[in-house]
Amino acid sequence: FMDWWETFFDEDYVEAWTAAESFERTADQVEAIERLLDAPSGARILDVPCGFGRIAKPLHDRGYRVTGIDASATQLRLAQERNPGPHYLHRDMRRPPAGPYDAVLNFFSSFGYFEARSDDIAALEAWFRVLRPGGVLLMELMHRDRVAHLYDPDDKPVEHGPTREAGHTEWVTGVRDATVTYGSVSKSFRIRLYTATELVGELKRIGLSAVEVWGDLDGVTPLSPATHMVVRATK
């Protein structure tokens, strides 16, 4: 049995999501990350998963000591080629380097990938372990209420520029199966969606405190079904 994410994140993925303008706001995101972390220059940051380094590199260039981990060898190769500077490692997100880190970043809805919910929680627990006391976990992701809002009815295909996404959500488990097409490229994924209530509950259970939730990286916009979810929690 092979998990979908073991082959999903190839060069076709980068091409399709770039075409959908998914990475257009990177510079603004990095600015917002800096504000929300409020960390000193030289702070140690773990970017998990780092993909092709689009966030890790600008943070490195701003003076942070960035380690990026990813399970995709292709993404790491692209990171080294396109965004050199950070320390990139081929690692499972459930087994990050020991740290300690001043901050852990989990961006671009890169959570809920595992077949078992317990593995998602194991990733959160691992990130908690490698944070120093006072360190910050910052997440930016899709949430179940937004998916219910966007895909109504659930099987309605949605266009993202030249890409098209169609899928189905199992509302009891929160698992969504979907396929994105872009020209001849077709990419299928399976992700467990969490509500803010569920995710905040898990973060507090494992020991994180001062958990704040917003609908945008501005740290102001309220969470709603029309927004993404941004979570900031402190160890």
Side-chain angles (χ1 to χ4, degrees):
F1 175 77
M2 180 176 280
D3 289 301
W4 65 268
W5 42 266
E6 293 184 49
T7 55
F8 183 89
F9 295 102
D10 55 12
E11 295 193 43
D12 285 341
Y13 154 78
V14 177
E15 183 182 349
W17 266 251
T18 299
E21 300 185 344
S22 299
F23 310 130
E24 289 291 299
R25 293 184 60 226
T26 298
D28 292 338
Q29 288 179 329
V30 171
E31 289 277 353
I33 288 167
E34 268 206 303
R35 286 196 304 272
L36 289 174
L37 292 183
D38 192 25
S41 180
R44 296 186 66 189
I45 297 176
L46 178 68
D47 184 11
V48 50
C50 64
F52 59 92
R54 70 182 184 94
I55 287 175
K57 165 70 167 173
L59 288 172
H60 166 82
D61 289 347
R62 289 167 183 240
Y64 300 101
R65 291 179 290 167
V66 184
T67 299
I69 67 169
D70 207 288
S72 166
T74 301
Q75 292 299 298
L76 291 170
R77 176 177 57 78
L78 292 174
Q80 294 283 14
E81 291 172 0
R82 300 181 185 184
N83 294 299
H87 183 47
Y88 294 117
L89 294 171
H90 190 234
R91 298 288 279 264
D92 186 298
M93 68 167 69
R94 293 164 291 187
R95 289 177 278 280
Y101 294 97
D102 299 291
V104 174
L105 305 180
N106 175 253
F107 267 61
F108 202 58
S109 296
S110 302
F111 185 69
Y113 285 2
F114 299 110
E115 196 64 28
R117 179 189 169 106
S118 58
D119 282 317
D120 292 341
I121 307 310
L124 292 178
E125 290 171 340
W127 305 343
F128 174 79
R129 282 196 303 272
V130 301
L131 273 173
R132 67 162 175 80
V136 172
L137 169 65
L138 190 61
M139 302 177 72
E140 181 270 332
L141 65 164
M142 188 68 82
H143 58 109
R144 197 164 71 187
D145 294 336
R146 176 168 169 77
V147 168
H149 173 76
L150 280 179
Y151 303 95
D152 182 22
D154 183 45
D155 55 0
K156 176 187 75 171
V158 171
E159 311 283 336
H160 305 282
T163 66
R164 183 174 187 268
E165 180 179 330
H168 172 73
T169 308
E170 168 48 59
W171 297 108
V172 175
T173 60
V175 173
R176 176 170 176 78
D177 288 281
T179 299
V180 172
T181 53
Y182 168 63
S184 61
V185 174
S186 180
K187 306 288 291 178
S188 296
F189 63 90
R190 178 177 174 85
I191 190 168
R192 181 176 293 98
L193 301 157
Y194 288 83
T195 63
T197 310
E198 291 172 316
L199 186 56
V200 169
E202 290 295 348
L203 293 174
K204 289 183 174 178
R205 185 190 61 77
I206 64 177
L208 286 153
S209 60
V211 182
E212 299 172 278
V213 183
W214 304 288
D216 192 89
L217 281 164
D218 60 11
V220 177
T221 302
L223 178 75
S224 79
T227 70
H228 271 243
M229 176 162 63
V230 174
V231 182
R232 184 186 191 275
T234 304
K235 179 171 177 176

